[in-house]
Structure formats: C-alpha cells, structure tokens
Amino acid sequence: MSRPGFVLEVDDRTPPLVVHEGLGFRLEDGFPLGTRVVYPPESIPTVPDVDAAIREALLHPHDMDPLPELLFAGMRLTIAFDDLSLPLPTMRAPDIRGRIIEHVLTMAAEAGVDDVKLIAANALHRRMTAAELKHIVGERVFRSFYPQGDLYNFDAEDRSELAHLGTTDKGEDIEISKRAAESDLLVYVNVNLVAMDGGHKSVGIGLASYNSLRHHHNAKTMVHSRSFMDHKHSAMHHSAWRMGRIIKDTVKVFQIETTLDNDVFPKPFDFLQKREWEWSVRDQATMLGVRRGLAVAPQRMRHKMFHDMRSVYGLTGVNAGEVEAVHERTLEKVHQQHLVEVQGQSDVLVMGVPYLGPYNVNSSMNPILATCMGLGYYFNSYRGQPVVRKGGAVILYHPLNEGFNQLHHPSYVDFYEEVLAESTDPAVVGEKYEQQFAQDPWYIHLYRTSHAYHGVHPFYMWYWAAHAMDHVDEVIWVGGDRRVAARLGFRAASTLADALEMASGTVGSSPSITYLHNPPHLLADVR
C-alpha cells in the first residue's frame, strides 16, 4: 500500500537528512528545529500487465476512433516520441516508448501501411546518438528503421523540412516538422514524468522550430508562468495550448501519454527512496558504503556511476486519443503520484540539486543547468503559490563546477563567459544577445551535424529561472564555488548555518524554513 507525501517538522529526534548535491549527497544535521521537510509520496500502484494496458489504450482511445480504424494502406504514418530528456534518470530497458511503438507498428503492418517514419521530438535539444535512439525504441525497431534513415532526430534548422501552419490570435507562429504536418496520421508517444509534460506541449514544442519556440521560451513569458507544473496558470502553457489547437485543426494527432511511479533509484541506491528514520540496519550500512565510495572515487568514476544508473520505473497509466482528453486523464494520475499538501509559505526554501537534469543526460551539469534545475524546475514544483514567500530566500546545494561539456554545450561556454559577465537579468540578456546566438552559423552547424544543443539553448535555461529570480530576494548555494556563484549573480556559503546567516538581512534571524526532499519528484500543493 503506497503512502501519500509527508510533511515532517524537524525536532531534536530527527536524524540527519539526505540532501543531494551534484555527484553525491550529504547527511545534513544542520536544519534548525521547526524546519518543515516535505517528502514525496511513495509509488502508487502500477498496471499489472503493461502490454495489455497499451492494447486497451490503442483500441479504446478517448474522443477518437480506435487506432486500427485510422490506419490504411497507402497512408503516410509518422510516429514521434519524447527524446532522452525524459524520464530522469533513464529508464531501464525496455523503455515504455519502445513498447508502445512496437504495438503501433504491428497494427500499422496489419493495415498494410508501408510509409512510416519515426522522429525523435528533440526540438532544439541535441541530436541523440544511435545508441540512445536504440535504447528508447528497442533493438527490433532500431534494426528495422535506423539503417534506412526512417528513424531520425528532428532537425529544427532544416528549412526544407519545416511547415508553417499559421499564427495564433496573439501573432504566434506555428512551425513544425513538415513530415509530421503532412502525414495522414501523427502518433505521438509521450512520457509524462511531471505535470509540465505532455498535452499540446508534445507536438507544438517537441517538433517545433525556433520560429515557434521564441514566442513562449522568453523571459517575459517565463516570469509569468506560475508555475510550469500548473498549466492553467502558466503563460508558457497558454501559448503552447493556443498553438496546439491550431495544430489540432490542421494535423490529425493520435496522442499516447504514459505516467510513471516514483521508483527512481535502483539498488544499491534505493535507500534514497526511503525516509531517513525508516532506514533498516542494511540501509544504513549501504548508505555509509556508498558515501565512502563516492568520497574517494575520482570525478570521472562518480560521473559514470550515476549516469549509468537505470531506473526501475513502473507504469501507472497509459491513455490514448485526442490530445486534451488524454492529457486531462494523465494529469489526474500525475497528481495522484506527486501532490503533497503544504500549509502556507516559508521565508526560506531549501533544495538539493542532483547530478541530473533534462539537458545533461550522459553529460555534465554545468552552472547554467544547475540554475535551471534548482530555480527553474524545482522552484516551480508547486501548485497554488510558491513554497517560499515573495521577497524570501532560496538556498541550494550544488558545487557549481565549471565543467562545461564542449560537445553538448558549446554555446553555454560563451553565454557564461560573455553574456553573464555583462548582465544576469533574463530580460536584458534576451533582448541584447538571444538573436546573435540563435542565428550563429557555427552553433547551427554543430546542432545539425554533431550532438550540440542549439545556440539559443542556454538562454532558455536562464529564462526558466526568471520567475524565481523575480520572486525571491536572495539565492545562496551551499558548497558552491564562490567565483561561479558570483558570475551567476548569486552568493555561496560553506554550510547551511552560514547560508542562513547570510540571508538573515532578508528573512530575519529566525525564519520559517521548508526543505523540499527530492528526488523523487513531488509537487507542493501550497494552500
């Protein structure tokens, strides 16, 4: 029987708490008495038969005909799917997307469909490698489609393969994959790890060009997205939904959305799934062994250890059919897994930033991505109102290493060295530098031919943090490189006690404190 999320108030009997900090974690016993600790819910029940659940979804979709009735000989069928930015960490084989794609292809073959393309919906993310594509779609699908060029990464800079579908009543351009737009049926296979994913965000963002993305991936829109995890109060989602409804009128989309449980950490890291006071003797011994091993392991070994981790997620639901009807049911399941009721706001919000985010899979967590993860994704993991009050403080744990991956994040280096040296204001850097990076021929070349994120991508990561920067008056990184923190426009401290002392001018000497104990993911429902 799963248990819901839990809010603990620290007292003198509370054991040291786990705080993630990049390629490792610490046991923090410095939380003041009375600190609220918000734990994520335990995993909810999973479907007993995954293949049966997939078939049921395809044969009994919501507000659409069954998939076999939409398939016919001579049609153009395109199957698009979420890229490696989801789920986090990577799912152990077989990936749920691959299992669904096999079912779709089997039905297509039975209908005599032979014009089929598979597209990774990576938008302005980096191109996935052959091995990464193979992991998602599975060996059989990969072997059948990849060598022939029928399985490929979306190229948002190939003008000949883009289709402009019109503009919204707000003047927003809708420009997506030409192959997808001109197909008789577009099947989209999604992984809804958090409430932000899915819905019209799938096709309208995953298969979109910069010409479309610029309308909602900007500082003005992001600062008014309250929060990313609540699409009804997110300016970014409002824009994506406006675009999506025009796509829906132009392209026949059969949406397939999946939801997962909270089983993020496989053995031997599964003790991180538990609340510290519930650790068994075996859990405590494992924890000590892992900590000692991480303390002496070289950086490269620790990186490999964590990035080779494959999570044991279970499928909690799969729905198919019309985009909005499907997404409504998806959100119900996501909320069932992630929502934790939290009473009121705090003066200080504390979060650990782990080694992994959507944009450094098989790569490194540079300071821009750490900021995006902490002040973007984690800060916005709320419904209702932020966990921290307006004008409060955020304290984050992360070393802020300057380890930029030159293969994956070349434009990040110039953004960090040149742009942030002049200003850290998201609106200012966007207005002054975004177009230069977005149109730079070298960055475009690396995006198209190598495995680099698009030149504009670091701007988007900085915009993700715009709401948090606008909301709080102080951001402090515990264990962070002080010089790096200063470049980002923040401060660094050695300990939590030091950070609280530094923030006292903003929040007073006895502030209320909330620690979001994630991962696994949680969504604070702040009343």
Side-chain angles (χ1 to χ4, degrees), residues 435-455:
Q435 286 297 310
Q436 173 187 332
F437 276 65
Q439 298 171 1
D440 186 280
W442 180 241
Y443 294 149
I444 291 174
H445 171 75
L446 293 176
Y447 162 79
R448 298 194 66 191
T449 63
S450 182
H451 297 283
Y453 283 83
H454 195 279

Side-chain angles (χ1 to χ4, degrees), residues 214-226 235-236 426-427 463 466-467:
R214 64 191 173 93
H215 293 292
H216 40 65
H217 279 57
N218 58 66
K220 181 180 179 180
T221 302
M222 295 299 191
V223 81
H224 289 100
S225 293
R226 315 287 177 81
M236 181 187 72
Y463 300 156
H467 172 29

